[in-house]
Amino acid sequence: MISNNIMMERAIKLIKNRSDIGAGTRGSDMGIDAIEIAAINQNSDYFNEYDFEDVKTHNESIYDKDRNSFAKRIEHVVEQCTRVSHSVKKNLEANFFPIVLSGDHSSALGTISGIKAAHPDQTIGVIWIDAHADIHSPYTSPSGNIHGMPLAGVLGDDNLDYQINEVATETEQHWEAMKNIGYPGPKISANDLVYFGVRDTEKAEDKQIEKLHIKNYKVDEVRYRGLETCVAEALINLAHCDVLYISFDVDSMDCDLISYGTGTPVPRGFDQYEIIDIINQIIMSKKVVCIEFVEVNPLLDTKGNKMAETAFQVLEAITSTLILPIE
């Protein structure tokens, strides 16, 4: 087992995954560049300070005729998640700390698969900071957009009790391949998953969350009970996990307060300072091995580049915590 001190001494590697083929709205593939522009405009040298790796993408597949309406472009999303998985695994094994900057949230399936491939004998805890549960499968999804399915994939649970779609054999085969990327079978159990900020779900997701007893720290609860208290409780509930992964979707933030520059904006979310405090407190557990930022969409931003600027503010703040010397 890797010691916590070694984890925190790893050099940061930025993994840039400019893919948006799992989303229903185009544009999140440009989110990484928008964040880099935000850094430049703030006279920050952040993106020159850390090694980076670009993941090859398949964004041109949006022009292909879609044969898998309940899991759109799934054959290409499988390919993309496999690439992300390989990149994350390789960098973890090379003793880097990956910060994954992705377009749409389907990438998280690849990221978690890569963490499991690098730590096959360890239990992975997932902290999912998002307005959405992302726990649909092709059998339950009303949209067919795979950025709403990554957690079903890593849990290996299709929620067939609430099936609404008759899925074609070809789609089923691709979905099974997706669930087995990097490591055969489920990557996490429901006991290893905690939500922060989820507030926009469908019935099938609500029933799945209820059935699997997944804790969701809603915005009101965090503010009423106290952020530090809720995060500490979450970490206690994940104490059995050997390593932790944080997935930050910018739509977890309040779209009215921050920006509509994301594919599925939802009001009444966190502000950026709450996000920073949540992530920093989790980092201080010394169990975090990977963090991912997703769903910045500059094409939808009505405030210039405000969402990317805010995402960079979070990125810079949590990176400062990551590089703090170990006491």
Side-chain angles (χ1 to χ4, degrees), residues 6 17 20 57 66 79 96 104 158 186 218 243 259 269 297 323:
I6 291 175
N17 174 40
D20 70 349
T57 61
D66 189 14
E79 183 180 27
F96 285 104
D104 76 81
D158 296 336
K218 295 184 178 182
V243 297
S259 168
N297 190 331
I323 63 177

Side-chain angles (χ1 to χ4, degrees), residues 137 139-140 157-164 204 207-208 211:
S137 75
Y139 304 95
T140 67
D157 190 325
D158 296 336
N159 195 15
L160 295 180
D161 289 343
Y162 288 88
Q163 180 175 354
I164 60 172
K207 292 297 183 181
Q208 188 74 323
K211 181 186 82 172

